[in-house]
Amino acid sequence: MSWKSFRFALIAAGAAMLASCGINSVPTKEEAAKAAWANVESAYQRRADLIPNLVSTVRGAAAAEEDTLTGVIEARSRATSIQLSADDLDDPAKFQQFEAAQGELGSALSRLMVTVERYPELQSQQRFGDLMVALEGSENRIETARVRYNEAVQDYNTTIRTFPDIVGAKVIHGAEPMQTFSAKPGADEAPTVDFGNEG
């Protein structure tokens, strides 16, 4: 074997080793997880954009429910003020703060929907019905985006923790695991439904 052939074989082997130690796979999977996060943010933004129209529609028909409406507006304000950039996805405290604010907004919307049940004239309005369909679609998009984000993060986190990619992840990229969405406390308990007659 000539020196030239040996050198070529050495370079090829070195390139193969580098390629298999996370040089490309870690940033590729990180970018996939960040793109999935952008979809989560987009879904949350769509929901936030619908809320002012929903609140103004309900306010016209249910002026007595001002506390509930104010709660929704305030929860939306808090949820939209907490921003979580793709660079913060490895920070558990920031991630939990963002998730808590979005959960609070979801709870406020649930209380609003319970309130709306008391106003049949509101439910019969076409505009309200359209807003409810749009809001339901937004909630479905949020759930789908969160699932896809969790899948992308699982793939990324597995990559940066397994050999040989862990070498490039730690030495070259300084990669840290990203956070995933998890179930809210109490989500494992079935809700109690009471069909008893009131009064």
Side-chain angles (χ1 to χ4, degrees):
M1 180 183 244
S2 71
W3 169 248
K4 208 176 210 181
S5 298
F6 177 73
R7 194 169 130 199
F8 178 76
L10 191 62
I11 290 171
M17 286 175 52
L18 281 174
S20 68
C21 71
I23 298 273
N24 293 323
S25 61
V26 170
T28 299
K29 292 182 180 191
E30 180 182 25
E31 289 306 315
K34 286 180 177 180
W37 175 250
N39 292 337
V40 171
E41 289 182 311
S42 176
Y44 276 131
Q45 185 61 52
R46 184 176 189 272
R47 176 177 72 175
D49 291 345
L50 286 170
I51 290 171
N53 291 329
L54 183 63
V55 168
S56 66
T57 302
V58 174
R59 181 173 275 140
E65 307 297 343
E66 193 60 37
D67 287 348
T68 302
L69 296 172
T70 301
V72 171
I73 293 166
E74 289 173 353
R76 177 189 182 272
S77 178
R78 282 188 294 276
T80 56
S81 70
I82 297 175
Q83 299 298 315
L84 186 68
S85 74
D87 295 331
D88 295 329
L89 295 175
D90 59 357
D91 185 332
K94 288 182 181 177
F95 195 88
Q96 287 171 356
Q97 183 184 24
F98 178 86
E99 191 173 8
Q102 292 297 335
E104 184 182 331
L105 178 54
S107 294
L109 283 171
S110 294
R111 287 190 300 277
L112 178 63
M113 295 307 104
V114 168
T115 299
V116 164
E117 294 295 323
R118 290 182 268 189
Y119 295 90
E121 72 279 4
L122 178 60
Q123 295 176 53
S124 67
Q125 291 180 15
Q126 180 64 41
R127 181 165 187 240
F128 179 76
D130 292 345
L131 286 168
M132 290 308 301
V133 168
L135 186 60
E136 182 180 338
S138 290
E139 294 299 327
N140 291 337
R141 282 184 177 90
I142 289 169
E143 182 58 29
T144 300
R146 285 171 54 137
V147 167
R148 289 180 180 159
Y149 167 76
N150 279 351
E151 290 169 351
V153 168
Q154 178 188 13
D155 188 35
Y156 171 76
N157 287 348
T158 301
T159 298
I160 67 169
R161 294 178 60 215
T162 54
F163 187 80
D165 292 323
I166 192 171
V167 175
K170 295 294 180 190
V171 175
I172 298 169
H173 301 292
E176 293 292 332
M178 291 182 183
Q179 301 299 304
T180 57
F181 286 101
S182 56
K184 296 175 187 171
D188 57 336
E189 299 171 14
T192 302
V193 179
D194 182 7
F195 292 108
N197 293 330
E198 294 179 7

